[in-house]
Structure formats: C-alpha cells, structure tokens
Amino acid sequence: MTYTFPHDFMWGTATASYQVEGALHEDGRTPCIWDTFCTLPGAVADGSSGQSACDQYHRYPEDIALMRELGVKAYRLSIAWPRIMPDAGGTINQLGIDHYRRELDALREAGIMPVVTVYHWDLPQYLEDHGGWASRDTALRLADYADVLARELGDRVGIWTTLNEPWCCAYLGYGNGEHAPGVRDYGKALAAVHHLNLAHGLGAQAIRARLGDDANISSVLNLSVNVAETDSEADRAAKRRADLIANEVFLGPMFEGRYDPEIFEATKPYTDWSFVHDGDEERIHQPVQSLGVNFYSTTHVRHRGPEAAGAATDASRLRRNPMPAQDIVEVLPPAGELTAMGWNQEPRGLTTLLTELSERFPGLDLIVSENGSAWDDEVTLEPDAPGGKIVHDPKRVAYLDAHVRAVVDALQSGAKVKGYFAWSLLDNFEWALGYSKRFGIIRVDYDTQERIWKDSALRFRQIVADNAI
Ligand code: PNW
C-alpha cells in the first residue's frame, strides 16, 4: 500500500557544525571543547578531530547543490558558537556572522529552508574553563549567544532549535566521560541537565523577544524508548527509573514547568539539586511550536538487584547506561542485527515514541530531526553513476524504508509528525568514533573531499519526489 504524505511534509537532511565544517582556525574561530577533547590520548577512536571534516565551511555551495538534487525542502544545520563569540569578553565576530549569512542565503536561494540548531555540542573552551555545563553561567551565556543569532540571522531561518540532545551533553559529557569535556561525575552531569534545560528556556525567551510570536522555536531531544524485559514489577520499576532519568528530566520542565519529584528522590546519592533556583522551572517552560525527536534505536532494560551493583560500573555497562540510574537499571546488550554503531534496529520504537508524545502533548508539532544508520560502506566503480562511482548500501536503504514506514504508522494513528530529517547528508566526524563510522546518505572521500552518491540517497530522493512510500 502506498502512503502519500501531507503536501507540506518537511523532508530534510541534517548535520552539525563541528562534524562537517572543518576550517577550525579560520575567520577568527577559537577552540571548542571538542578541539580540546580530541587531543586527549584515546578519547577519539581513530585519533582524529574535526580539523578538516567534510570541509563544508568552504564547500557549502556544492553541498547545497547536492541537496537540490536530492529534492529536500529543508536543511538542519548548527552554528558554531566559537565562530560567533570567540572570547570571554563578549566580542561578536563579524566574519563568523557573515559566513552563516552567506550560507543561509544560499540555502534560501536554492529553495531549502534552514532549520538552525543554536547549540550542537561545540561549547567554547573558555566557557568550559569556567565550569562548562556544570556551571549556571553557561546557560546565561547561551541566552546572550542566542540573542545575537536571532538579531543577526533571524530573518533567514525557518525553525530555531535551541539545543541538540542535552542527554548526550550531560550524561556522555559529564557522566561517563565518553564525550567532551570527558568529565565523570554524576553530580555534575545532573547539574548539566538542569543548566542545559535552563539554557533552552532562556535561549527560547531571547529568540522570542527578538522575533516575536511568529518565530518557530523548538528543541531537539534524543528520548529513550525504554522497553522492560519482562512485565514484572521490578522490571517495570527499572523502566520507570530509566524514563525518569533519560526523558522526564527534560520533558517535565520544558512542557509542564516542573521536575517530577521522583527525580530528586532517585538521584539523592549524587546531588541535592540546590542548583535549581526559585523560578527556574518556569524559566525553562517556554512556549515552543515543535519538538525535534532524534531516533536511532531502542533500549531494553531490566531490574538490577543491589547484589549486582559492584558490576554496575564496568566499562561496557557504563557505555550502555551512562546515567545516574546504575543502582536499579541494567541496560541489556542490544539484540538482532546491529548497525556498525552496535545499535539495534527497532523501527516500531519510533512509532511508539511519536504516538505517545502526540497523545501527551496534543498541540505540539513533532519533527523527526535525526534518523539514520552507520554501516561499513564500500565504493563501487560504475561508469553510469555520477562521477563513475556509487556506494551500494542495501542495509541503510532498508533502515531508511523501515523508519519512514514507522513514521507513516505514527501518522496513521494520529501523531502530529511534520517532517523527517535523514542523518546525515554526508559521512562526517562521528564524535568519539571519529571518521570510522559513516552515517551519510552521501559518501565523503576524506582524501579528496569527493562526494559519492549512495543507493540510500537515490532512495531518499525517490521518497521525497513521490512524497510517498
Ligand atoms: C546524535 N548514544 O548523537 C547526534 O545528534 C549526532 O550529532 C550524531 O552524529 C548522531 O546522533 C549519530 O550518533 C548521539 O550513545 C551520539 O546513545 C551518541 C548517542 C546518541 C546520540
């Protein structure tokens, strides 16, 4: 059965500044926490950094031409904070602003709507030096930065997204230390959760103050779809705890103006939450038009008894569960055919997530702001292909199809889904895994910066052209 999407369904591709731009020392940019993290021995799997990445800083015209060929209607990109505000003194770097003006103008001329993420993990190093997300000041600084962006670029942007995946920033950045800045301290991770929430609220407020009620403001979360192993009370309690620490810490203040008190109770061993000031929950609770949902896989959990607590922090478990919920939540090893990331493939989880969110927040537009999969691709020489080369990636094609169908299922059960963004337009710097994992629907040859089409890009182009699957 063919399903036709609503005529205004937003098809797009997504990237993030540090992962694709390169040009780290150009036009007055200063270091971010990932520049620093990448110099730590063993921090990034292949010892690489965002130094050249996909060179999109220079090659954006070529990449926009690729998107035109793909037929996508929107591009989700992020702006590099240290290009705009390169020092602690509040200097605004005109060269950085000019760069993004040119890029956003080029997108709009190509008929592609820019969906802009204010913060996708490239925190200026000078802010980390003063405590980073564990410090309240960082949230205030984000509001200043968002204000500058709204003032300088406001008329060029279709949707403003305050933050990308605060879960990753907090729990991977300050919990298990797998991401920059590499801190391992659950108390700081929870402080980071709150300060990221506050940054969202203050950032949204700043953008709203500049651009008014018509501005489309959103945030992007990677909510966990937690599945209890059995229906036992203990396993359901483990799922409940995982939901609280992974999801409710963000959804509660953002949409309901309050943290569920169970969260304070459950995290008592790590913090007293004294970093939550009077009025913060209302500051976080700002009107937003849409919520971006990044979805890759699901999480299966079961109850862990106190007797197993000693084993709770071994490396592989900590990787699966970087949250301060180790005491009762055991995240099971993923099952079935895994992607190159070692993540499971359960598209039904996306249907569940979208459906439940729409039931709970009926007025809210949902956008699948990232979805995709990494595989070990190979280039095939084919005279008829553009440039004489193609990547046959049947697994990425199957993943794409299955997840677009999962979106259809959600739409058919009434979920208010307004768009779908493929992660990613290009292979890029996959954080702690460097260039070893390829998520692109278009391949990047990192020696030559050549862009090579994959079958998944051709498939996506077809879906977009048909507006149907
Ligand atoms: C997201 N995890 O990151 C980010 O938004 C992208 O920048 C990234 O490239 C993409 O997903 C693929 O990884 C995540 O460990 C990184 O659960 C790690 C996790 C989740 C999301």
Side-chain angles (χ1 to χ4, degrees):
M1 267 273 286
T2 305
Y3 173 89
T4 301
F5 286 82
H7 72 277
D8 56 351
F9 194 80
M10 202 190 309
W11 295 104
T13 57
T15 62
S17 46
Y18 191 78
Q19 296 183 273
V20 298
E21 284 182 348
L24 299 182
H25 305 292
E26 249 163 275
D27 290 347
R29 179 189 182 276
T30 57
C32 77
I33 53 174
W34 276 92
D35 297 78
T36 310
F37 190 66
C38 289
T39 66
L40 304 177
V44 176
D46 57 4
S48 65
S49 75
Q51 178 59 43
S52 46
C54 312
D55 194 31
Q56 192 175 76
Y57 194 78
H58 301 111
R59 291 171 199 261
Y60 68 83
E62 183 188 338
D63 291 342
I64 291 171
L66 286 171
M67 285 188 268
R68 279 192 77 145
E69 277 186 65
L70 280 167
V72 294
K73 300 169 181 163
Y75 181 41
R76 176 171 176 253
L77 70 157
S78 78
I79 291 187
W81 190 344
R83 291 192 193 280
I84 305 295
M85 307 191 84
D87 62 45
T91 307
I92 297 169
N93 178 26
Q94 192 60 41
L95 291 175
I97 288 169
D98 290 345
H99 167 78
Y100 289 110
R101 281 193 178 149
R102 286 191 294 272
E103 182 170 352
L104 296 174
D105 285 345
L107 281 164
R108 290 159 62 90
E109 275 158 34
I112 297 167
M113 183 181 92
V115 175
V116 169
T117 308
V118 170
Y119 179 68
H120 197 133
W121 307 358
D122 35 8
L123 185 73
Q125 182 60 42
Y126 62 81
L127 290 178
E128 183 57 36
D129 295 342
H130 288 92
W133 288 112
S135 158
R136 184 179 182 88
D137 182 58
T138 301
L140 310 183
R141 303 300 287 265
L142 182 126
D144 294 344
Y145 161 54
D147 174 61
V148 170
L149 294 188
R151 188 183 72 209
E152 300 295 331
L153 308 171
D155 50 344
R156 292 169 164 87
V157 172
I159 300 178
W160 285 100
T161 297
T162 51
L163 309 180
N164 178 73
E165 298 193 353
W167 182 96
C168 286
C169 303
Y171 296 130
L172 302 180
Y174 297 83
N176 74 352
E178 200 174 301
H179 280 186
V183 174
R184 293 184 191 161
D185 179 329
Y186 284 148
K188 286 190 177 167
L190 291 165
V193 164
H194 180 64
H195 297 136
L196 285 152
N197 282 333
L198 188 60
H200 159 72
L202 298 177
Q205 231 173 9
I207 297 168
R208 182 74 65 205
R210 285 276 172 203
L211 302 177
D213 287 345
D214 291 345
N216 189 329
I217 300 177
S218 73
S219 197
V220 167
L221 299 176
N222 57 318
L223 299 166
S224 300
V225 176
N226 295 308
V227 184
E229 186 181 39
T230 74
D231 205 30
S232 73
E233 203 173 307
D235 283 354
R236 280 187 286 124
K239 170 184 156 50
R240 168 79 188 145
R241 174 70 72 82
D243 285 348
L244 279 175
I245 305 298
N247 304 335
E248 293 308 318
V249 284
F250 303 110
L251 291 172
M254 192 181 293
F255 294 108
E256 290 156 353
R258 75 190 273 271
Y259 287 105
D260 187 325
E262 244 187 288
I263 293 169
F264 303 138
E265 194 57 38
T267 53
K268 252 190 189 149
Y270 312 108
T271 178
D272 61 5
W273 289 80
S274 54
F275 42 74
V276 181
H277 295 190
D278 276 352
D280 276 1
E281 286 152 300
E282 295 78 64
R283 288 183 187 101
I284 298 165
H285 185 206
Q286 297 298 319
V288 295
Q289 280 61 46
S290 50
L291 175 67
V293 173
N294 291 354
F295 179 87
Y296 292 93
S297 61
T298 63
T299 306
H300 291 255
V301 299
R302 73 169 167 221
H303 188 264
R304 182 210 311 280
E307 68 283 356
T313 50
D314 77 50
S316 67
R317 284 169 196 230
L318 201 56
R319 190 160 304 124
R320 289 201 298 273
N321 178 12
M323 299 181 290
Q326 298 279 348
D327 53 333
I328 71 160
V329 181
E330 172 159 13
V331 174
L332 300 170
E337 188 191 25
L338 308 182
T339 70
M341 293 294 281
W343 295 348
N344 72 19
Q345 303 182 68
E346 285 183 9
R348 255 183 316 167
L350 179 56
T351 309
T352 308
L353 178 60
L354 295 168
T355 309
E356 289 183 359
L357 283 169
S358 263
E359 281 166 6
R360 181 164 162 195
F361 308 114
L364 187 67
D365 287 349
L366 301 176
I367 292 171
V368 178
S369 38
E370 285 180 25
N371 175 245
S373 56
W375 301 99
D376 297 322
D377 298 327
E378 276 169 38
V379 179
T380 305
L381 299 179
E382 245 170 55
D384 292 342
K389 294 174 191 167
I390 183 98
V391 173
H392 295 304
D393 57 344
K395 293 189 173 169
R396 192 177 287 100
V397 172
Y399 182 100
L400 171 67
D401 271 349
H403 287 77
V404 171
R405 283 179 205 283
V407 172
V408 171
D409 290 343
L411 282 163
Q412 289 181 328
S413 58
K416 227 177 145 202
V417 191
K418 298 294 180 176
Y420 174 96
F421 287 72
W423 184 270
S424 175
L425 172 66
L426 302 170
D427 293 337
N428 59 50
F429 177 75
E430 181 48 35
W431 306 114
L433 296 162
Y435 298 98
S436 67
K437 303 297 172 210
R438 294 176 178 272
F439 273 94
I441 59 173
I442 291 175
R443 183 182 175 93
V444 175
D445 178 329
Y446 293 113
D447 295 326
T448 61
Q449 288 296 345
E450 186 184 359
R451 276 54 170 155
I452 302 164
W453 284 63
K454 304 185 190 183
D455 284 340
S456 52
L458 297 171
R459 175 68 185 143
F460 194 49
R461 181 171 73 177
Q462 189 66 54
I463 294 171
V464 174
D466 294 348
N467 196 35
I469 189 163

